[in-house]
Amino acid sequence: MILLRIFVPFAFGYFLSYFFRTTNALLAPGITNDMSLSPSDIGLVTGMYFIAFASFQMPLGVLLDKFGPRKVETYLLVFAVIGSFMFATSNSFFSLLVGRALIGLGVSACLMAALKAYVQFFPSSKLPLLNGLHIASGGIGAIASTYPVELALNYTDWRGIYMILGTLTILASIVIFAIIPEKKEAKSIKPLKEQISEIKMIFTSPSFIRVAPISVISQSTFLAIQSLWAGLWLRDVAGLKSDIVATNLLCLAGAMVVGSIGFGVIGQKLSLLKISILKTGVLGTVAFTIVQFLIAFNWVPNVTIIWILFGFFALSASLFWAGLQELYPRELSGRVTTSVNFLIFVGAFFFQWFIGIIIQLFPISENGNYSQDGYQLAFLTLAIFLLLSVVWYYPISGFVFRNSKK
């Protein structure tokens, strides 16, 4: 009972967080047409979610450790409500940016608060599966932002979708505050200077330096592409109509759900066999790197299958959360996860904007489609970054984790 009481409300919040995050992949054509946006403009607008999300991760870690996940997420969701309604009623590029930024700020605790709560209430052996199930709830949000949205667009437009999301976010805030219990534990009385010093310790520790690049680049790449450019790639490179694009995005999101749960189960089972969660995550990321190269070079014999593989193997990176938490004391768990999450969402913002900038270097067709060469150059660059992160991790990981201290 306590599991459902904690998991379901947080999962509902993360469901909405991911819906907000990915819905522009399908709504982008309508937004760009109505607001006369360029590729870099829509990349910047959509990416504002990520930069606002990232900007609050450092104070979020301190707030989670001090006040607890229930209160922090409840109050932050109010900003998402305001941002959603502002985005829905925007009549300028600036108001789009501000509305999207408020959404990113408002949902910035939807993953980290849950991870903090799971650490508080459950043993570490259950964290890989719990984290995977929670991330799967985000995948269900991604599913809801695909074909169901395509159907809803028969009755409303992108503005109506954001109005509905704002209303659901009000409900999520109420549910989280009313249902989730408070965990009675000693509150930190450390001075702010000492807390900042501990954050610095996390960023400069050998374990973080070695794990962070592969975790950050793999997840930043996935977020940047899934939440916007996958849908436009399916339109412009694969030449699919909007309903078929929605179906493929649905398959991608479904693969994300399977991958998050699957890698959670795999990581937990292999850890019992003394195979570390981090090593399992890295092997999954290697497969994700290969898929990314296939898409970059358009070696895609079947569009649906390749994007299913993209969604499935991308979620191997969810294991890095549990793996990193094992390397630090529990009282630092909030700041450890928010430290890496800060880097992930900064990376997602720049990657998403970067793709738009690269695509804009190439001519746009008469029917408004973006150049295949632009996608190829942008996606290939991110795939190379991903490969370098794997190379960075592998040769020295064994030495680092044998010799690093918590």
Side-chain angles (χ1 to χ4, degrees), residues 11 36 41 73 94 99 209 219 221 230 267 296 300 309 364:
S36 301
D41 288 340
E73 182 166 344
F94 177 76
I209 291 171
Q219 294 183 73
T221 297
V300 184
L309 294 175
I364 299 175

Side-chain angles (χ1 to χ4, degrees), residues 160-219:
I161 297 298
Y162 272 89
M163 291 295 290
I164 294 170
L165 284 173
T167 303
L168 289 174
T169 306
I170 295 173
L171 176 61
S173 181
I174 294 171
V175 167
I176 288 169
F177 188 80
I179 295 179
I180 294 175
E182 286 286 352
K183 178 69 173 180
K184 303 297 183 181
E185 61 179 10
K187 301 298 182 182
S188 172
I189 57 174
K190 295 179 181 178
L192 181 60
K193 183 177 180 181
E194 186 173 347
Q195 294 183 50
I196 294 174
S197 177
E198 289 176 336
I199 293 175
K200 181 180 178 181
M201 179 274 293
I202 292 169
F203 272 99
T204 57
S205 65
S207 298
F208 192 87
I209 291 171
R210 301 315 177 196
V211 178
I214 188 169
S215 176
V216 168
I217 294 175
S218 60
Q219 294 183 73

Side-chain angles (χ1 to χ4, degrees), residues 309-326:
L309 294 175
F310 179 87
F312 178 81
F313 285 112
L315 268 294
S316 61
S318 65
L319 295 175
F320 293 125
W321 300 117
L324 271 171
Q325 286 174 330
E326 289 183 348

Side-chain angles (χ1 to χ4, degrees), residues 388-402:
L388 291 175
S389 76
V390 174
V391 173
W392 170 262
Y393 178 94
Y394 259 120
I396 54 180
S397 61
F399 173 81
V400 169
F401 292 118
R402 280 196 301 269

